[in-house]
């Protein structure tokens, strides 16, 4: 019943910014666990980009540190990835993974992914 709906991807020029959203909907969520953003470019392995723990601590890949910021708004059931100073190498499909306490148990959910293209 629970779904993760991602939005915010698109085409942006180098140096520009995008904000990705990952919203949980369709069920009763009683608690929010860790969330991780991943990305995968064609022909490359999936890469961990950023994560936020249940307690709010954050971690980032070295390649995005200082440019990306992960945050959470529990009232909106949404996790965000703010991406600044974007580079062509950031081009990839971005997906979120969330641990949610739903219907009496912890479950892991994936979003379908959203395309980010950085090009002049």
């Amino acid at each position: 019943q629970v779904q993760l709906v991602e939005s915010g991807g698109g085409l942006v020029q180098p140096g520009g910014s995008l904000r990705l959203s990952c919203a949980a909907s369709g069920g009763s969520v009683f608690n929010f666990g860790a969330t991780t953003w991943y990305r995968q470019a064609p022909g490359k392995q999936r890469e961990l980009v950023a994560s936020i723990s249940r307690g709010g601590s954050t971690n980032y890949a070295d390649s995005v540190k200082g440019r990306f910021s992960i945050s959470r708004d529990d009232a909106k059931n949404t996790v965000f990835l703010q991406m600044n100073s974007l580079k062509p190498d950031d081009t990839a499909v971005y997906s979120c993974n969330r641990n949610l306490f739903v219907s009496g148990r912890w479950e892991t959910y994936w979003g379908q992914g959203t395309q980010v293209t950085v090009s002049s």
Side-chain angles (χ1 to χ4, degrees), residues 34-108:
T35 296
T36 303
W37 283 96
Y38 295 86
R39 68 185 182 186
Q40 187 168 23
K44 298 183 179 179
Q45 287 187 300
R46 189 187 305 273
E47 175 187 18
L48 191 153
V49 178
S51 65
I52 183 168
S53 72
R54 180 180 177 180
S57 62
T58 59
N59 287 284
Y60 300 92
D62 288 340
S63 59
V64 307
K65 194 171 298 181
R67 300 188 296 118
F68 290 12
S69 179
I70 187 171
S71 61
R72 184 177 67 231
D73 187 339
D74 289 344
K76 298 180 179 179
N77 298 330
T78 302
V79 174
F80 303 97
L81 183 67
Q82 178 67 44
M83 305 186 296
N84 300 322
S85 302
L86 283 163
K87 306 174 181 179
D89 286 347
D90 295 320
T91 296
V93 175
Y94 286 71
S95 303
C96 65
N97 176 280
R98 301 191 66 180
N99 295 322
L100 305 174
F101 193 81
V102 182
S103 299
R105 66 174 66 187
W106 286 98
E107 300 284 353
T108 300

